[in-house]
């Protein structure tokens, strides 16, 4: 790991100022991705701005029927939150299956969503539940947020302050985890909310995506039988030592059907 | 860049000068000489480096020492009451022969104690196996580790730890 200058601001405003003043600065939230990246010398920031002391970024609250989760809220807090479990149990379940207990004690929702790892779990929930990402400057709709491989709508120096999830009538997340890393080989989040039915797939492609054909079928009949004949093309899906694109395309169908069955329980 | 860092380790106030990039596990091992916490994979997968920071189980190879500024850290060295009286989890590991080479043991014991407390001293075998997902034993001696944790849960409860 190359050395860097370390900062520990206490407010979002101070953190943003540091990130803007130092063009090569990186924000660190839980560090579950950034620290391994630094160790491998895949990044060389001049400055690291630690958000750990920014109290206003942590916590879970209810706003109307929405669950609003602060950007620095840890996976373990989301997994065990009574509010999340009551409003959107699928979201608590998802958080409780990220990485391992120690990773869940450090990793944060804002860090995960801002990083947009193709195999991360949270992007599936953000898109399927049609969540809104709030930053220090604006609100961004889920469909506008995730742009591609590790790419988001966030501008330089823009921080996720919270994410607002609408309560779901029915929702479930099913993932086929990589047995070593627990990252999603394929994860499918299915949700029926006031906005309609959404099916979001993570792990399979370079970035989270929706399956419109499944959404239309489930809108008419919310059962796994309704999507049993829908397949998705393998073109453009991830192919690596863990599984081919064809295998992942197949898993999307399997995980989607399991998610619908779980949502109906 | 040299930075002063201060924290409490096993109830004792400690401080030192570190680089921003110094990991907590390096601070513990190389600055404080507390080599009970091990570095196995150094990629936050194996769990040999697990310590407790402010009541949360974390992998000390994936947190900077400066991020633990002002924290209360507990390591494997802080568990036993005295050289003659082990923590119930350590005792259970000994009784059940829950180690082979012993390299993963400090992290296993730290994770196991956290696991027992989070589950309010009530565990079953499936839960223990699932909860150990962040700790690897390359001797593959999991069976006795699971037995030890199941035995330690009631022992910790009656010992009030």
């Amino acid at each position: 790991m190359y050395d860097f200058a370390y900062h520990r601001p206490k407010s979002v405003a101070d953190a943003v100022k540091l990130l803007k003043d130092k063009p090569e600065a990186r924000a660190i939230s839980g560090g579950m991705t950034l620290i391994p990246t630094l160790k491998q010398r895949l990044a060389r920031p001049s400055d690291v701005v630690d958000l750990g002391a920014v109290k206003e970024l942590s916590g879970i609250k209810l706003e109307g029927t929405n669950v609003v989760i602060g950007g620095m809220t840890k996976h373990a807090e989301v997994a065990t939150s009574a509010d999340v479990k009551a409003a959107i149990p699928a979201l608590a379940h998802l958080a409780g299956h990220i990485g391992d207990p120690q990773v869940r004690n450090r990793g944060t929702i804002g860090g995960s969503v801002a990083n947009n790892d193709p195999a991360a779990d949270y992007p599936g929930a953000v898109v399927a539940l049609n969540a809104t990402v709030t930053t220090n400057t604006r609100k961004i709709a889920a469909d506008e947020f995730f742009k591609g491989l590790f790419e988001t709508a966030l501008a330089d120096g823009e921080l996720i302050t919270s994410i607002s999830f609408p309560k779901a009538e029915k929702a479930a997340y099913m993932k086929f985890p990589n047995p070593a890393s627990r990252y999603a080989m394929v994860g499918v989040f299915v949700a029926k909310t006031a906005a309609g039915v959404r099916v979001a797939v993570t792990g399979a492609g370079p970035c989270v995506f929706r399956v419109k054909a499944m959404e239309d079928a489930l809108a008419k009949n919310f059962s796994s039988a309704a999507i049993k004949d829908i397949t998705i093309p393998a073109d453009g899906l991830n192919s690596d030592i863990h599984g081919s694109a064809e295998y992942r395309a197949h898993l999307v169908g399997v995980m989607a059907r399991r998610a619908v069955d779980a949502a109906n329980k | 860049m040299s930075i002063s860092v201060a924290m409490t380790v096993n109830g004792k106030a400690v401080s030192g000068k570190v680089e921003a990039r110094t990991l907590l596990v390096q601070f513990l091992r190389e600055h404080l000489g507390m080599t009970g916490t091990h570095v196995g994979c150094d990629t936050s997968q194996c769990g040999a480096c697990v310590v407790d920071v402010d009541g949360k189980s974390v992998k000390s190879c994936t947190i900077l020492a400066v991020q633990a500024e002002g924290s209360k850290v507990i390591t494997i060295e802080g568990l036993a009451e005295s050289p003659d009286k082990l923590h119930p989890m350590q005792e259970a590991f000994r009784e059940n022969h829950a180690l082979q080479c012993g390299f993963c043991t400090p992290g296993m014991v730290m994770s196991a104690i956290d696991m027992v407390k989070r589950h309010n001293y009530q565990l079953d075998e499936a839960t223990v196996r699932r909860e150990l997902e962040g700790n690897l034993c390359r001797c593959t001696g999991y069976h006795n580790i699971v037995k030890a944790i199941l035995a330690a849960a009631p022992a910790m409860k009656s010992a009030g730890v």
Side-chain angles (χ1 to χ4, degrees), chain B residues 17-38:
Chain B
K17 291 251 184 222
V18 297
E19 289 183 304
R21 63 179 168 177
T22 304
L23 300 168
L24 177 59
V25 71
Q26 291 174 307
F27 180 66
L28 294 171
R29 289 178 57 87
E30 295 163 24
H31 292 246
L32 303 180
M34 298 174 67
T35 52
T37 303
H38 289 172

Side-chain angles (χ1 to χ4, degrees), chain A residues 1-6 8 28-29 31-32 35-36 39 50 99-102 104-106 182, chain B residues 1 3 19-21 23 42 50 56-59 61-64 66-67 111 118 131 133-134:
Chain A
M1 199 187 308
Y2 297 111
D3 204 14
F4 45 78
Y6 174 80
R8 197 174 168 82
I28 188 169
S29 51
M32 294 296 97
I35 292 177
K39 283 184 184 182
D50 185 359
D100 56 53
Q102 288 75 31
R104 295 194 285 274
N105 275 339
R106 293 290 302 165
R182 317 291 184 207
Chain B
M1 192 168 96
I3 307 174
E19 289 183 304
R21 63 179 168 177
L23 300 168
D42 200 19
V50 168
K56 305 282 182 204
S57 177
V58 306
K59 291 181 170 173
C61 80
T62 313
I63 171 173
L64 303 171
V66 285
Q67 288 181 291
S111 291
R118 272 188 295 110
E131 286 277 346
E133 62 194 349

